[in-house]
PDB file of all heavy atoms in Angstrom:
ATOM      1  N   ILE B  57      59.063 105.649  79.152  1.00 93.00           N
ATOM      2  CA  ILE B  57      59.954 106.788  78.945  1.00 93.00           C
ATOM      3  C   ILE B  57      61.156 106.745  79.877  1.00 93.00           C
ATOM      4  O   ILE B  57      62.309 106.850  79.441  1.00 93.00           O
ATOM      5  CB  ILE B  57      59.171 108.107  79.138  1.00 93.00           C
ATOM      6  CG1 ILE B  57      57.992 108.154  78.173  1.00 93.00           C
ATOM      7  CG2 ILE B  57      60.082 109.291  78.940  1.00 93.00           C
ATOM      8  CD1 ILE B  57      57.162 109.405  78.303  1.00 93.00           C
ATOM      9  N   VAL B  58      60.881 106.566  81.167  1.00 94.00           N
ATOM     10  CA  VAL B  58      61.974 106.658  82.145  1.00 94.00           C
ATOM     11  C   VAL B  58      63.066 105.609  81.917  1.00 94.00           C
ATOM     12  O   VAL B  58      64.253 105.949  81.954  1.00 94.00           O
ATOM     13  CB  VAL B  58      61.412 106.573  83.586  1.00 94.00           C
ATOM     14  CG1 VAL B  58      62.525 106.388  84.590  1.00 94.00           C
ATOM     15  CG2 VAL B  58      60.619 107.821  83.910  1.00 94.00           C
ATOM     16  N   PRO B  59      62.713 104.338  81.662  1.00 94.00           N
ATOM     17  CA  PRO B  59      63.799 103.366  81.452  1.00 94.00           C
ATOM     18  C   PRO B  59      64.708 103.738  80.296  1.00 94.00           C
ATOM     19  O   PRO B  59      65.929 103.598  80.387  1.00 94.00           O
ATOM     20  CB  PRO B  59      63.065 102.045  81.186  1.00 94.00           C
ATOM     21  CG  PRO B  59      61.749 102.219  81.821  1.00 94.00           C
ATOM     22  CD  PRO B  59      61.405 103.663  81.672  1.00 94.00           C
ATOM     23  N   ARG B  60      64.125 104.238  79.213  1.00 95.00           N
ATOM     24  CA  ARG B  60      64.975 104.587  78.074  1.00 95.00           C
ATOM     25  C   ARG B  60      65.878 105.767  78.392  1.00 95.00           C
ATOM     26  O   ARG B  60      67.059 105.789  78.040  1.00 95.00           O
ATOM     27  CB  ARG B  60      64.103 104.904  76.852  1.00 95.00           C
ATOM     28  CG  ARG B  60      63.653 103.640  76.163  1.00 95.00           C
ATOM     29  CD  ARG B  60      62.672 103.898  75.040  1.00 95.00           C
ATOM     30  NE  ARG B  60      62.242 102.651  74.439  1.00 95.00           N
ATOM     31  CZ  ARG B  60      61.456 101.759  75.037  1.00 95.00           C
ATOM     32  NH1 ARG B  60      61.009 101.996  76.235  1.00 95.00           N
ATOM     33  NH2 ARG B  60      61.126 100.642  74.429  1.00 95.00           N
ATOM     34  N   LEU B  61      65.278 106.766  79.080  1.00 95.00           N
ATOM     35  CA  LEU B  61      66.081 107.912  79.495  1.00 95.00           C
ATOM     36  C   LEU B  61      67.223 107.473  80.403  1.00 95.00           C
ATOM     37  O   LEU B  61      68.372 107.897  80.268  1.00 95.00           O
ATOM     38  CB  LEU B  61      65.197 108.911  80.261  1.00 95.00           C
ATOM     39  CG  LEU B  61      64.655 110.101  79.497  1.00 95.00           C
ATOM     40  CD1 LEU B  61      63.881 110.984  80.432  1.00 95.00           C
ATOM     41  CD2 LEU B  61      65.769 110.882  78.833  1.00 95.00           C
ATOM     42  N   ARG B  62      66.843 106.627  81.355  1.00 95.00           N
ATOM     43  CA  ARG B  62      67.840 106.144  82.315  1.00 95.00           C
ATOM     44  C   ARG B  62      68.949 105.408  81.590  1.00 95.00           C
ATOM     45  O   ARG B  62      70.133 105.585  81.900  1.00 95.00           O
ATOM     46  CB  ARG B  62      67.137 105.221  83.305  1.00 95.00           C
ATOM     47  CG  ARG B  62      67.877 105.042  84.588  1.00 95.00           C
ATOM     48  CD  ARG B  62      67.062 104.214  85.545  1.00 95.00           C
ATOM     49  NE  ARG B  62      67.950 103.375  86.340  1.00 95.00           N
ATOM     50  CZ  ARG B  62      67.554 102.373  87.089  1.00 95.00           C
ATOM     51  NH1 ARG B  62      66.288 102.058  87.147  1.00 95.00           N
ATOM     52  NH2 ARG B  62      68.415 101.670  87.779  1.00 95.00           N
ATOM     53  N   TYR B  63      68.607 104.594  80.628  1.00 95.00           N
ATOM     54  CA  TYR B  63      69.614 103.837  79.893  1.00 95.00           C
ATOM     55  C   TYR B  63      70.594 104.765  79.210  1.00 95.00           C
ATOM     56  O   TYR B  63      71.802 104.546  79.198  1.00 95.00           O
ATOM     57  CB  TYR B  63      68.932 102.927  78.864  1.00 95.00           C
ATOM     58  CG  TYR B  63      69.907 102.189  77.994  1.00 95.00           C
ATOM     59  CD1 TYR B  63      70.561 101.059  78.470  1.00 95.00           C
ATOM     60  CD2 TYR B  63      70.193 102.630  76.702  1.00 95.00           C
ATOM     61  CE1 TYR B  63      71.467 100.386  77.682  1.00 95.00           C
ATOM     62  CE2 TYR B  63      71.086 101.960  75.913  1.00 95.00           C
ATOM     63  CZ  TYR B  63      71.726 100.831  76.403  1.00 95.00           C
ATOM     64  OH  TYR B  63      72.636 100.168  75.628  1.00 95.00           O
ATOM     65  N   ARG B  64      70.033 105.850  78.642  1.00 95.00           N
ATOM     66  CA  ARG B  64      70.902 106.759  77.913  1.00 95.00           C
ATOM     67  C   ARG B  64      71.882 107.468  78.826  1.00 95.00           C
ATOM     68  O   ARG B  64      72.932 107.922  78.408  1.00 95.00           O
ATOM     69  CB  ARG B  64      70.052 107.787  77.168  1.00 95.00           C
ATOM     70  CG  ARG B  64      69.843 107.379  75.716  1.00 95.00           C
ATOM     71  CD  ARG B  64      69.476 108.526  74.907  1.00 95.00           C
ATOM     72  NE  ARG B  64      68.162 108.974  75.353  1.00 95.00           N
ATOM     73  CZ  ARG B  64      67.518 109.978  74.829  1.00 95.00           C
ATOM     74  NH1 ARG B  64      68.040 110.648  73.839  1.00 95.00           N
ATOM     75  NH2 ARG B  64      66.353 110.327  75.284  1.00 95.00           N
ATOM     76  N   HIS B  65      71.517 107.569  80.117  1.00 95.00           N
ATOM     77  CA  HIS B  65      72.371 108.337  81.015  1.00 95.00           C
ATOM     78  C   HIS B  65      73.378 107.497  81.788  1.00 95.00           C
ATOM     79  O   HIS B  65      74.120 108.030  82.592  1.00 95.00           O
ATOM     80  CB  HIS B  65      71.495 109.109  82.025  1.00 95.00           C
ATOM     81  CG  HIS B  65      70.963 110.385  81.462  1.00 95.00           C
ATOM     82  ND1 HIS B  65      69.815 110.455  80.729  1.00 95.00           N
ATOM     83  CD2 HIS B  65      71.448 111.639  81.516  1.00 95.00           C
ATOM     84  CE1 HIS B  65      69.595 111.703  80.362  1.00 95.00           C
ATOM     85  NE2 HIS B  65      70.580 112.449  80.826  1.00 95.00           N
ATOM     86  N   VAL B  66      73.390 106.180  81.573  1.00 96.00           N
ATOM     87  CA  VAL B  66      74.372 105.360  82.281  1.00 96.00           C
ATOM     88  C   VAL B  66      75.562 105.104  81.365  1.00 96.00           C
ATOM     89  O   VAL B  66      75.413 104.588  80.265  1.00 96.00           O
ATOM     90  CB  VAL B  66      73.774 104.007  82.727  1.00 96.00           C
ATOM     91  CG1 VAL B  66      74.847 103.157  83.381  1.00 96.00           C
ATOM     92  CG2 VAL B  66      72.624 104.219  83.683  1.00 96.00           C
ATOM     93  N   ARG B  67      76.738 105.497  81.836  1.00 96.00           N
ATOM     94  CA  ARG B  67      77.968 105.212  81.096  1.00 96.00           C
ATOM     95  C   ARG B  67      78.980 104.638  82.063  1.00 96.00           C
ATOM     96  O   ARG B  67      79.053 105.065  83.206  1.00 96.00           O
ATOM     97  CB  ARG B  67      78.582 106.490  80.533  1.00 96.00           C
ATOM     98  CG  ARG B  67      77.697 107.301  79.716  1.00 96.00           C
ATOM     99  CD  ARG B  67      77.810 106.992  78.278  1.00 96.00           C
ATOM    100  NE  ARG B  67      76.526 107.397  77.705  1.00 96.00           N
ATOM    101  CZ  ARG B  67      76.302 107.688  76.471  1.00 96.00           C
ATOM    102  NH1 ARG B  67      77.252 107.575  75.623  1.00 96.00           N
ATOM    103  NH2 ARG B  67      75.120 108.076  76.096  1.00 96.00           N
ATOM    104  N   TRP B  68      79.763 103.693  81.570  1.00 96.00           N
ATOM    105  CA  TRP B  68      80.802 103.151  82.440  1.00 96.00           C
ATOM    106  C   TRP B  68      82.035 102.844  81.620  1.00 96.00           C
ATOM    107  O   TRP B  68      81.994 102.726  80.402  1.00 96.00           O
ATOM    108  CB  TRP B  68      80.298 101.904  83.155  1.00 96.00           C
ATOM    109  CG  TRP B  68      80.064 100.742  82.256  1.00 96.00           C
ATOM    110  CD1 TRP B  68      78.941 100.478  81.524  1.00 96.00           C
ATOM    111  CD2 TRP B  68      80.989  99.690  81.980  1.00 96.00           C
ATOM    112  NE1 TRP B  68      79.097  99.338  80.804  1.00 96.00           N
ATOM    113  CE2 TRP B  68      80.347  98.826  81.071  1.00 96.00           C
ATOM    114  CE3 TRP B  68      82.270  99.384  82.408  1.00 96.00           C
ATOM    115  CZ2 TRP B  68      80.949  97.675  80.590  1.00 96.00           C
ATOM    116  CZ3 TRP B  68      82.873  98.239  81.925  1.00 96.00           C
ATOM    117  CH2 TRP B  68      82.214  97.393  81.021  1.00 96.00           C
ATOM    118  N   GLY B  69      83.157 102.689  82.332  1.00 95.00           N
ATOM    119  CA  GLY B  69      84.389 102.339  81.639  1.00 95.00           C
ATOM    120  C   GLY B  69      85.503 102.127  82.638  1.00 95.00           C
ATOM    121  O   GLY B  69      85.390 102.517  83.797  1.00 95.00           O
ATOM    122  N   ILE B  70      86.546 101.466  82.181  1.00 94.00           N
ATOM    123  CA  ILE B  70      87.739 101.300  83.012  1.00 94.00           C
ATOM    124  C   ILE B  70      88.851 102.108  82.372  1.00 94.00           C
ATOM    125  O   ILE B  70      89.228 101.861  81.224  1.00 94.00           O
ATOM    126  CB  ILE B  70      88.165  99.827  83.108  1.00 94.00           C
ATOM    127  CG1 ILE B  70      86.991  98.983  83.587  1.00 94.00           C
ATOM    128  CG2 ILE B  70      89.330  99.688  84.077  1.00 94.00           C
ATOM    129  CD1 ILE B  70      87.290  97.504  83.620  1.00 94.00           C
ATOM    130  N   ASP B  71      89.355 103.073  83.131  1.00 90.00           N
ATOM    131  CA  ASP B  71      90.296 104.015  82.553  1.00 90.00           C
ATOM    132  C   ASP B  71      91.474 104.168  83.495  1.00 90.00           C
ATOM    133  O   ASP B  71      91.299 104.630  84.611  1.00 90.00           O
ATOM    134  CB  ASP B  71      89.565 105.354  82.378  1.00 90.00           C
ATOM    135  CG  ASP B  71      90.371 106.288  81.518  1.00 90.00           C
ATOM    136  OD1 ASP B  71      91.257 105.797  80.805  1.00 90.00           O
ATOM    137  OD2 ASP B  71      90.116 107.501  81.577  1.00 90.00           O
ATOM    138  N   ASP B  72      92.661 103.740  83.056  1.00 89.00           N
ATOM    139  CA  ASP B  72      93.838 103.896  83.921  1.00 89.00           C
ATOM    140  C   ASP B  72      93.663 103.193  85.259  1.00 89.00           C
ATOM    141  O   ASP B  72      94.048 103.708  86.299  1.00 89.00           O
ATOM    142  CB  ASP B  72      94.118 105.380  84.198  1.00 89.00           C
ATOM    143  CG  ASP B  72      95.064 105.959  83.171  1.00 89.00           C
ATOM    144  OD1 ASP B  72      95.616 105.172  82.376  1.00 89.00           O
ATOM    145  OD2 ASP B  72      95.247 107.182  83.153  1.00 89.00           O
ATOM    146  N   GLY B  73      93.051 102.009  85.219  1.00 89.00           N
ATOM    147  CA  GLY B  73      92.912 101.262  86.459  1.00 89.00           C
ATOM    148  C   GLY B  73      91.845 101.797  87.387  1.00 89.00           C
ATOM    149  O   GLY B  73      91.845 101.476  88.570  1.00 89.00           O
ATOM    150  N   VAL B  74      90.950 102.621  86.888  1.00 94.00           N
ATOM    151  CA  VAL B  74      89.863 103.138  87.711  1.00 94.00           C
ATOM    152  C   VAL B  74      88.542 102.828  87.003  1.00 94.00           C
ATOM    153  O   VAL B  74      88.362 103.191  85.847  1.00 94.00           O
ATOM    154  CB  VAL B  74      89.984 104.667  87.918  1.00 94.00           C
ATOM    155  CG1 VAL B  74      88.810 105.181  88.719  1.00 94.00           C
ATOM    156  CG2 VAL B  74      91.288 104.998  88.619  1.00 94.00           C
ATOM    157  N   LEU B  75      87.660 102.136  87.707  1.00 95.00           N
ATOM    158  CA  LEU B  75      86.338 101.840  87.142  1.00 95.00           C
ATOM    159  C   LEU B  75      85.424 103.025  87.412  1.00 95.00           C
ATOM    160  O   LEU B  75      85.256 103.441  88.556  1.00 95.00           O
ATOM    161  CB  LEU B  75      85.762 100.577  87.790  1.00 95.00           C
ATOM    162  CG  LEU B  75      84.301 100.232  87.484  1.00 95.00           C
ATOM    163  CD1 LEU B  75      84.137  99.870  86.020  1.00 95.00           C
ATOM    164  CD2 LEU B  75      83.843  99.072  88.352  1.00 95.00           C
ATOM    165  N   ARG B  76      84.867 103.576  86.366  1.00 95.00           N
ATOM    166  CA  ARG B  76      83.981 104.741  86.524  1.00 95.00           C
ATOM    167  C   ARG B  76      82.580 104.404  86.057  1.00 95.00           C
ATOM    168  O   ARG B  76      82.404 103.757  85.044  1.00 95.00           O
ATOM    169  CB  ARG B  76      84.490 105.902  85.656  1.00 95.00           C
ATOM    170  CG  ARG B  76      85.714 106.538  86.178  1.00 95.00           C
ATOM    171  CD  ARG B  76      86.108 107.736  85.341  1.00 95.00           C
ATOM    172  NE  ARG B  76      87.496 108.022  85.597  1.00 95.00           N
ATOM    173  CZ  ARG B  76      87.941 108.638  86.694  1.00 95.00           C
ATOM    174  NH1 ARG B  76      87.079 109.053  87.583  1.00 95.00           N
ATOM    175  NH2 ARG B  76      89.229 108.822  86.884  1.00 95.00           N
ATOM    176  N   VAL B  77      81.599 104.873  86.804  1.00 96.00           N
ATOM    177  CA  VAL B  77      80.210 104.691  86.402  1.00 96.00           C
ATOM    178  C   VAL B  77      79.485 106.011  86.581  1.00 96.00           C
ATOM    179  O   VAL B  77      79.464 106.575  87.670  1.00 96.00           O
ATOM    180  CB  VAL B  77      79.508 103.605  87.250  1.00 96.00           C
ATOM    181  CG1 VAL B  77      78.082 103.415  86.776  1.00 96.00           C
ATOM    182  CG2 VAL B  77      80.258 102.289  87.178  1.00 96.00           C
TER     183      VAL B  77
END
Side-chain angles (χ1 to χ4, degrees):
Chain B
I57 302 179
V58 169
R60 279 174 182 70
L61 262 183
R62 200 175 145 193
Y63 176 79
R64 263 201 294 181
H65 278 86
V66 177
R67 306 267 155 158
W68 68 275
I70 306 176
D71 192 19
D72 269 351
V74 177
L75 171 67
R76 287 184 199 283
V77 182

